[in-house]
Amino acid sequence: MDEPDNIRNIAIAAHVDHGKTTLSDNLLAGAGMISQDTAGEQLAMDTKEDEQERGITIDAANVSMTHEYEDTNHLINLIDTPGHVDFGGDVTRAMRAVDGALVVVDAVEGAMPQTETVLRQALREGVKPALFINKVDRLISELQEGPQEMQERLMSVIADVNELIRGMAENMDDIPEDWTVSVEDGTVGFGSALYKWGVSMPSMQRTGMDFGDIMDLEQNDKRDELHERTPLSDVVLDMVCEHFPNPVDAQPRRVPRIWRGDAESELADTMRMVNEDGEVVFMVTDISMDPHAGEIATGRVFSGTLEKGQELYVSGTAGKNRIQSVGLFMGSEREEVDRVPAGNIASVTGLRDAIAGSTVSSVEMTPFESIEHISEPVITKSVEAQNMDDLPKLIETLQQVAKEDPTIQIEINEDTGEHLISGQGELHLEVITQRIRDNQGIPVITGEPIVVFREQPQEASREVEGQSPNRHNKFYLTVEPMAQEIVDAIQLGEVSMDMPELERREALQEAGMDKDTSQNVEDIHRTNILIDDTKGIQHLNETMELVLEGLQEALDDGPLAAEPVQGSLFRLHDAKLHEDTIHRGPAQVIPAVRNAVHRSLIDGEVRLLEPIQDVRIDVPSEHMGAASGEIQGRRGRVDDMYQEGDLMVVEGIAPVEEMIGFSSDIRSATEGRASWNTENAGFRVLVDNLQREKIMEIRERKGMKLELPQSIDYF
């Protein structure tokens, strides 16, 4: 641990069911940590019961192992990440802690939508990719391919992955070398995680085996011999040691990417040098609960050395937290150690104020950039305790859930006593509610899933006036829809109010905002921006805080159905304020601004937006009509159909609301022979003939009055 040159921090990432956890088993067996016989079936990294039952990874799991490469012992800290789209947040957070990502692709299926997503998550964090093509045995035994066909298929998978990497790395200036993968360089491995064999160009040169030998042994069922002659773990771990950067190479490049502090400071130096004697800087990427030890914070040590008893600052909270113990994760077990120096992945107890994404340090410092999750919650369920006695425990558990998984949003409504959980999809919420039942022993009742909507103006409004209840204060606003490029920049965290003003201005101009507008940005709330176009108005400075409060309140509950407003650009043109402070307090300013915001939105023809998903169905050709009918029957549209191998692929988009219960319908329509997958694709405007009906439905559910204001008569 003390030699950062020989440390490799890596994550294994891939599409769901492409074999990440089975591959991790092989690596653990190769390092002598689990038995060779059960590797591949034991799924040692799926530590929770529900993961073993469902056969999928839900939480990212960490393990540290050693591997001898070129006569030197290397320490490999590995994180096995989930592949299911609902748990994408775990992948994003794991990428912050590592320097290399081993992307696993199924040889038969090829690069899939989630493969693209995990690659994007890795490159956005400045993490170097390498490729392992798994399930090659299926090409030989199931598809009976000859050497020529097999080579063509593998080359096309590599070409697809490289095209993705090239497209994403185009505008990244801080990557010195070419990050595409190639067989010749040794950054691509092939093999079968289930049967424990693997090859790469360097390993073939070392063992003298070629694809011909492999096909012979595979066809004659001599898989044990194949495993003995070219074991998978050696091939993959050698590739990791040789091609992935160690912390000393990676941190100088990664730190400026994820930290906006002063690059000339001493702190920046110790992080770049991975200096274990410097100030402690620790980035928390994961929080988990241990029934005995309490909360455990796992993350990456960028500089300094973590030791028991240290008192450290946690970004965004007052006071210090004291470290109770320091350790390393070995799958489900946590091994305590005396100290963890820079460049390693550590797990710590005692940081009670930390959440996933906190910066923990021995001196007060600029925190790291927050971890941006690509997708936002689209489905909500209500959760109630069956017995009133369990209520306090349920609230505590829900708050714990929100701390452990930042992609879940929890809203506790004191008035109605209902608790709403919003997550990435049906499975996400199902897993959370099941864990509350099983792990905490709280019987809960869950409501039907509800879909989250948004509101957005469709055109520029005229200038509208908002008046305060005492008629002494007036605000004049307009609104216009914002360009998608600017909305994307805000969502990806490239633009925020925490940035220095100059940097923010440049980022907005790059996204296409004109120069004058970008200089007057007063506030960014969700994906909405307020521009202050006023000139020399008395008392506006001291009233501005209340104006922003009114604006934010109005944007959280839009005028149509109290759903959040997104993608709008507001301009404050003028304001008339009363001389006397007492007549322009919160009770006057907030309603006036709220009024102006809602009026301008209605004048800009605000519409309801619904969340949509990209759908891809792979199905035998005789069931193709039924599969495309399933999408079209759900207000979806089919964009493309093409043949891939012996299957037809149907691609399209459909509203999330209509996709609830899709899995059972598609199974019965195609006799269970379709495999499909969905990915969140943002929001689109709901068609006009459904607007009024949907708005009324939401208003009724929220207990609002059912008449719309006169001014909304454009549906």
Side-chain angles (χ1 to χ4, degrees):
M1 282 164 65
D2 285 318
E3 296 173 17
D5 290 340
N6 300 335
I7 296 176
R8 301 287 183 277
N9 295 312
I10 65 163
I12 294 190
H15 187 82
V16 65
D17 279 344
H18 279 197
K20 297 176 292 298
T21 307
T22 313
L23 176 67
S24 309
D25 266 16
N26 274 293
L27 304 185
L28 289 174
M33 291 168 68
I34 60 174
S35 131
Q36 281 286 1
D37 306 337
T38 57
E41 287 141 33
Q42 184 176 339
L43 303 180
M45 302 301 279
D46 284 353
T47 54
K48 305 261 174 43
E49 280 169 38
D50 51 356
E51 296 183 297
Q52 293 275 359
E53 275 168 30
R54 290 172 189 269
I56 58 171
T57 304
I58 294 172
D59 296 329
N62 301 34
V63 66
S64 303
M65 56 182 113
T66 58
H67 175 66
E68 193 157 304
Y69 172 70
E70 292 185 345
D71 303 330
T72 314
N73 246 330
H74 287 69
L75 171 67
I76 296 171
N77 298 317
L78 172 129
I79 303 182
D80 176 32
T81 65
H84 196 287
V85 60
D86 283 11
F87 309 107
D90 275 57
V91 185
T92 313
R93 294 195 293 282
M95 290 304 172
R96 178 58 63 93
V98 298
D99 305 317
L102 183 62
V103 178
V104 182
V105 175
D106 180 326
V108 182
E109 289 189 352
M112 296 286 279
Q114 197 62 18
T115 314
E116 183 179 340
T117 309
V118 295
L119 260 171
R120 181 170 289 117
Q121 286 167 317
L123 290 169
R124 179 177 305 142
E125 288 285 346
V127 169
K128 183 178 178 176
L131 177 65
F132 180 75
I133 301 180
N134 192 17
K135 308 195 186 184
V136 175
D137 58 293
R138 288 180 59 191
L139 299 183
I140 303 167
S141 53
E142 284 175 39
L143 302 180
Q144 304 282 331
E145 292 192 350
Q148 189 57 38
E149 291 169 287
M150 199 161 113
Q151 204 162 352
E152 280 167 18
R153 184 186 284 255
L154 295 174
M155 292 324 276
S156 86
V157 172
I158 297 171
D160 287 348
V161 170
N162 278 336
E163 195 178 320
L164 291 173
I165 295 176
R166 252 185 233 110
M168 294 168 196
E170 251 176 358
N171 42 13
M172 296 168 74
D173 326 325
D174 53 354
I175 299 178
E177 74 271 46
D178 182 12
W179 270 11
T180 49
V181 294
S182 82
V183 182
E184 290 77 44
D185 294 349
T187 45
V188 178
F190 310 95
S192 160
L194 192 58
Y195 298 117
K196 313 186 186 70
W197 62 267
V199 290
S200 63
M201 200 62 137
S203 85
M204 287 187 193
Q205 288 160 353
R206 204 175 54 236
T207 56
M209 289 191 72
D210 58 16
F211 266 120
D213 302 341
I214 290 169
M215 292 180 82
D216 287 345
L217 290 169
E218 178 72 43
Q219 278 160 343
N220 299 324
D221 273 346
K222 295 188 178 164
R223 286 178 172 145
D224 291 345
E225 189 182 330
L226 192 52
H227 161 62
E228 275 159 33
R229 286 179 59 181
T230 174
L232 171 72
S233 56
D234 289 358
V235 173
V236 172
L237 293 175
D238 282 355
M239 185 158 96
V240 166
C241 293
E242 185 173 351
H243 293 289
F244 280 147
N246 58 34
V248 183
D249 296 338
Q251 284 188 197
R253 191 191 67 248
R254 290 199 61 214
V255 169
R257 227 192 149 74
I258 57 179
W259 186 63
R260 289 267 164 82
D262 176 6
E264 304 299 310
S265 63
E266 198 176 319
L267 200 59
D269 267 353
T270 60
M271 286 199 276
R272 282 197 292 265
M273 308 286 293
V274 198
N275 183 354
E276 58 178 80
D277 303 323
E279 297 287 354
V280 175
V281 179
F282 174 62
M283 166 101 200
V284 180
T285 56
D286 190 46
I287 299 268
S288 52
M289 262 320 263
D290 181 304
H292 311 298
E295 270 180 34
I296 301 175
T298 308
R300 168 79 175 255
V301 189
F302 281 96
S303 92
T305 301
L306 283 177
E307 290 175 26
K308 187 171 153 179
Q310 279 171 334
E311 295 205 341
L312 302 176
Y313 294 100
V314 177
S315 59
T317 60
K320 292 182 169 187
N321 286 2
R322 191 191 187 91
I323 293 187
Q324 309 283 339
S325 72
V326 184
L328 297 178
F329 257 115
M330 300 299 200
S332 56
E333 302 296 314
R334 195 171 149 270
E335 300 291 335
E336 291 202 1
V337 292
D338 298 334
R339 47 193 286 281
V340 177
N344 283 286
I345 295 177
S347 62
V348 183
T349 59
L351 297 177
R352 53 177 195 287
D353 292 337
I355 56 169
S358 297
T359 305
V360 179
S361 55
S362 52
V363 287
E364 293 200 27
M365 62 178 280
T366 313
F368 284 103
E369 289 287 279
S370 59
I371 299 176
E372 290 299 331
H373 294 102
I374 297 178
S375 49
E376 40 185 340
V378 291
I379 276 193
T380 303
K381 262 185 178 175
S382 66
V383 179
E384 304 171 43
Q386 264 181 18
N387 319 326
M388 283 313 286
D389 306 350
D390 289 334
L391 194 61
K393 195 171 168 193
L394 177 66
I395 292 181
E396 199 179 300
T397 309
L398 289 176
Q399 286 165 339
Q400 186 61 43
V401 165
K403 206 169 182 184
E404 288 178 30
D405 187 349
T407 49
I408 276 203
Q409 284 177 3
I410 299 233
E411 193 182 314
I412 296 179
N413 187 330
E414 304 278 332
D415 308 334
T416 59
E418 77 174 341
H419 313 308
L420 300 177
I421 305 189
S422 313
Q424 307 285 322
E426 277 186 277
L427 180 68
H428 198 185
L429 296 182
E430 196 183 306
V431 165
I432 296 286
T433 45
Q434 186 186 338
R435 286 191 175 176
I436 293 176
R437 265 187 218 125
D438 300 352
N439 304 357
Q440 302 293 335
I442 307 174
V444 289
I445 314 166
T446 54
E448 287 293 302
I450 314 162
V451 174
V452 182
F453 287 83
R454 293 275 188 278
E455 301 183 18
Q456 188 180 21
Q458 299 306 301
E459 52 188 68
S461 73
R462 295 167 297 199
E463 190 171 306
V464 299
E465 171 188 273
Q467 200 177 39
S468 64
N470 65 8
R471 310 236 169 109
H472 290 313
N473 304 284
K474 293 177 180 168
F475 294 92
Y476 298 89
L477 280 171
T478 56
V479 67
E480 58 199 83
M482 199 151 50
Q484 191 56 42
E485 287 76 25
I486 305 177
V487 177
D488 292 344
I490 298 175
Q491 276 177 328
L492 296 177
E494 289 162 15
V495 175
S496 75
M497 289 310 283
D498 307 337
M499 297 163 67
E501 191 181 339
L502 202 66
E503 248 177 75
R504 181 173 65 233
R505 221 181 290 168
E506 281 169 8
L508 282 168
Q509 285 169 22
E510 239 169 73
M513 187 181 272
D514 64 82
K515 196 170 164 196
D516 296 343
T517 308
S518 66
Q519 287 174 350
N520 294 336
V521 173
E522 189 63 46
D523 188 37
I524 300 177
H525 181 62
R526 286 213 169 95
T527 51
N528 307 291
I529 292 184
L530 175 68
I531 308 291
D532 179 6
D533 278 347
T534 56
K535 298 275 186 294
I537 293 178
Q538 267 192 325
H539 313 303
L540 186 59
N541 271 353
E542 57 211 75
T543 319
M544 199 43 129
E545 214 167 289
L546 295 174
V547 172
L548 298 185
E549 209 171 307
L551 173 86
Q552 291 172 0
E553 218 176 88
L555 292 178
D556 289 343
D557 311 329
L560 295 178
E563 294 282 326
V565 177
Q566 73 169 28
S568 319
L569 182 74
F570 291 89
R571 292 174 186 272
L572 179 62
H573 294 278
D574 195 4
K576 298 198 166 94
L577 299 171
H578 196 280
E579 287 292 303
D580 198 343
T581 330
I582 204 148
H583 292 304
R584 48 182 162 87
Q588 304 300 333
V589 174
I590 293 176
V593 174
R594 189 188 164 95
N595 195 341
V597 168
H598 279 185
R599 277 186 175 177
S600 65
L601 284 168
I602 291 170
D603 196 64
E605 300 218 347
V606 62
R607 291 275 199 284
L608 214 50
L609 309 187
E610 61 176 347
I612 53 170
Q613 288 180 323
D614 288 327
V615 189
R616 170 190 163 125
I617 308 176
D618 295 60
V619 64
S621 45
E622 64 266 25
H623 294 296
M624 191 182 82
S628 54
E630 275 301 322
I631 295 184
Q632 283 156 341
R634 295 169 180 270
R635 296 203 320 220
R637 68 158 198 254
V638 175
D639 293 334
D640 199 4
M641 293 189 189
Y642 53 90
Q643 188 137 9
E644 206 171 80
D646 50 354
L647 292 176
M648 289 300 292
V649 177
V650 182
E651 286 182 351
I653 61 172
V656 172
E657 189 175 27
E658 303 283 333
M659 293 294 287
I660 293 173
F662 178 70
S663 49
S664 51
D665 294 357
I666 185 90
R667 280 195 191 104
S668 49
T670 59
E671 298 169 15
R673 296 184 59 192
S675 66
W676 72 95
N677 108 13
T678 57
E679 226 176 317
N680 295 334
F683 288 83
R684 69 163 182 203
V685 181
L686 184 66
V687 285
D688 268 2
N689 55 1
L690 289 175
Q691 287 270 352
R692 183 171 276 277
E693 181 190 325
K694 193 87 249 167
I695 291 169
M696 289 309 167
E697 200 180 294
I698 301 174
R699 289 180 84 108
E700 191 175 334
R701 190 184 80 220
K702 292 186 174 177
M704 298 162 67
K705 58 175 198 264
L706 294 183
E707 302 80 62
L708 279 173
Q710 285 296 306
S711 47
I712 309 182
D713 54 3
Y714 43 78
F715 295 132

